[in-house]
Amino acid sequence: MSSQQHSLKPFNTFNLDAFAKNLVVATTPEMLCTAWQESQRLQQPALLIGEGSNILFLQDFQGTAIVNRIEGIVVKEGAEAWHLHVGAGENWHRLVTYTLENALPGLENMAMIPGCTGSAPIQNIGAYGVELKDVCEYVDVMHLATGKIERLTAQACEFGYRDSIFKHRYQHGYAIVAVGLILNKKWQPILSYGDLNQLAPETVTPRQVFDAVCEMRRSKLPDPAETGNAGSFFKNPVITAEQAKVIAEVWPDAPRYPQADGGVKLAAGWLIDRCDLKGYAVGGAAVHQRQALVLINKDRATSDDIVALAHEVRQRVGEKFNVWLEPEVRFIGAKGEQDAVGVIA
Ligand code: FAD
Ligand code: EPU
């Protein structure tokens, strides 16, 4: 038997056959902290995992995988808003469903995003016009060396597009243990994105927005339970206004989203699609037919297949548009995270 005994297959939505030396399922912040400190004592790496819906295992993990399953949802009523304190291991979509069933709307645009609530602040999850930052009140983060828990306000989290302080200053040696959400009692539908603008703003209900979001997602995104994937493999690139002008002259139909800081976001899926890469395969990995930004484990793919495919996609898009895509997915090597661009460049 291999010394790498614990399968990580249930903990990565790419459905890859990776293993870890040790595996701990932590149901309390204390368990999580103890597991991390034990791995430090053994001088072994530790990896925090939620549901593995944004990670790509490059190799077996030579240390302790700590799976966060800290539960609990506490709702408090304020004068103008509902305040939710949510354990980091709560499944995000179940939380969205729970809020809808309990007449606490505000999360419906972010229905069906896989993963744990505690992972949501890390890349500031977002979909259909709403990001976590729009509903986040605070994040409780544990300093693993001391076990001390610090409460960061949403502002202190430095949320950006697929970015936060948890990818920078609070990345190593910290674990998110709870998330505070604030849901305004005066519900306003957000119908700016895609087909949602077909709904009537005066009469639409949170449930109808939820249903429309679920339907759009089902029509485009593969279900990881059937086809391994990690959602958008790359981030949508943000380029300068000057670069965007050049692209618009040659490809006037390229989707362009002006940003508050003057940059312009492009749709990576459109760029990949325009390179005629839908369905393109390397080994068992392929570009999804219905959404080119999603790379799938089509048929027993290895991580090498996915890396080679990602390299090819990035290269083709770069050569055609002079725009160089960066993975959204986090690449995990034998001892921890690796620089994803470096791996596929
Ligand atoms: P994991 O993949 O387990 O972990 C992600 C990273 O966070 C890793 O580096 C891990 O080490 C670290 N981490 C995990 N838990 C903790 C913790 N408690 N404290 C500190 N660090 C931790 N994302 C969007 O934003 N919008 C979408 O619309 C969207 N759609 C998706 C659709 C599909 C089909 C899939 C598969 C993914 C999609 N994603 C989307 C990506 C994914 O859902 C999010 O990134 C999600 O927040 C990941 O949660 P997770 O628990 O699976 O994190
Ligand atoms: N497009 C194509 N061809 C494709 C895919 C997309 O032409 O194969 C075009 C679409 O027609 C549209 C544009 O590209 O004009 C954007 O496509 P879409 O609305 O599907 O959104 P996206 O930019 O591909 C982003 C997020 C998703 C999120 C959706 C909905 C990123 C990296 N991805 O995708 O998040 O669900 O918007 O808000 O920002 C994720 O992060 O994993 C993820 C799935």
Side-chain angles (χ1 to χ4, degrees):
M1 191 191 283
S2 145
S3 64
Q4 307 282 322
Q5 292 179 25
H6 300 273
S7 172
L8 296 171
K9 205 166 181 172
F11 305 110
N12 79 100
T13 60
F14 261 121
N15 214 11
L16 295 176
D17 267 321
F19 290 82
K21 253 197 180 117
N22 307 302
L23 182 85
V24 176
V25 177
T27 52
T28 63
E30 294 69 32
M31 269 180 87
L32 200 153
C33 186
T34 306
W36 187 87
Q37 291 183 352
E38 179 63 8
S39 73
Q40 297 295 293
R41 200 183 58 77
L42 297 171
Q43 297 186 325
Q44 286 180 358
L47 173 71
L48 294 170
I49 305 185
E51 295 183 9
S53 64
N54 209 33
I55 54 183
L56 173 67
F57 286 116
L58 301 172
Q59 287 119 16
D60 290 340
F61 187 67
Q62 307 281 350
T64 305
I66 307 174
V67 179
N68 152 38
R69 289 292 176 269
I70 303 166
E71 292 184 350
I73 303 176
V74 178
V75 182
K76 286 199 181 132
E77 184 169 8
E80 287 168 7
W82 298 100
H83 302 267
L84 277 66
H85 180 89
V86 187
E90 289 284 347
N91 172 269
W92 175 261
H93 179 70
R94 265 204 301 277
L95 172 70
V96 176
T97 322
Y98 167 90
T99 56
L100 266 192
E101 283 165 358
N102 289 280
L104 309 164
L107 302 182
E108 54 287 338
N109 293 57
M110 294 190 280
M112 276 182 78
I113 301 182
C116 292
T117 302
S119 313
I122 299 169
Q123 71 160 12
N124 180 26
I125 59 166
Y128 296 95
V130 180
E131 289 182 326
L132 184 87
K133 74 169 169 51
D134 303 321
V135 291
C136 180
E137 188 165 30
Y138 60 81
V139 175
D140 284 350
V141 63
M142 179 183 257
H143 181 232
L144 292 161
T146 58
K148 196 170 162 278
I149 295 174
E150 183 184 354
R151 178 159 293 182
L152 299 182
T153 62
Q155 205 193 349
C157 293
E158 297 174 7
F159 289 123
Y161 166 64
R162 297 293 186 269
D163 199 26
S164 75
I165 199 165
F166 308 107
K167 284 188 171 183
H168 304 282
R169 191 145 56 88
Y170 282 74
Q171 181 179 353
H172 300 291
Y174 292 90
I176 293 174
V177 293
V179 177
L181 300 175
I182 177 163
L183 302 176
N184 202 315
K185 285 182 175 174
K186 283 203 195 102
W187 179 72
Q188 296 270 358
I190 294 163
L191 307 174
S192 51
Y193 198 102
D195 290 352
L196 291 181
N197 63 20
Q198 317 228 332
L199 298 169
E202 305 305 326
T203 54
V204 72
T205 64
R207 170 62 65 176
Q208 285 169 336
V209 177
F210 174 90
D211 288 342
V213 167
C214 291
E215 200 177 307
M216 280 190 282
R217 294 185 67 100
R218 282 196 194 100
S219 72
K220 287 189 205 171
L221 297 169
D223 177 356
E226 287 162 15
T227 307
N229 77 94
S232 300
F233 193 86
F234 298 96
K235 288 186 266 196
N236 283 329
V238 179
I239 60 174
T240 64
E242 293 74 42
Q243 270 181 297
K245 217 169 137 214
V246 175
I247 300 247
E249 274 160 18
V250 188
W251 295 278
D253 59 331
R256 297 181 299 282
Y257 314 100
Q259 304 294 291
D261 64 0
V264 177
K265 197 194 272 177
L266 301 179
W270 185 92
L271 299 171
I272 299 168
D273 200 351
R274 273 307 168 100
C275 294
D276 289 325
L277 285 167
K278 272 186 175 159
Y280 180 81
V282 174
V287 177
H288 188 48
Q289 283 286 3
R290 278 176 284 147
Q291 225 298 6
L293 192 45
V294 179
L295 304 188
I296 58 170
N297 176 354
K298 192 171 175 213
D299 182 19
R300 286 164 293 164
T302 61
S303 55
D304 285 350
D305 294 342
I306 296 168
V307 166
L309 177 64
H311 166 80
E312 192 62 27
V313 167
R314 181 174 186 271
Q315 206 60 30
R316 297 258 197 116
V317 168
E319 281 162 11
K320 188 173 174 98
F321 298 101
N322 195 26
V323 172
W324 296 87
L325 299 177
E326 291 178 14
E328 173 187 300
V329 172
R330 318 279 297 263
F331 286 26
I332 311 295
K335 295 191 171 149
E337 184 162 12
Q338 293 193 7
D339 170 40
V341 172
V343 172
I344 64 167

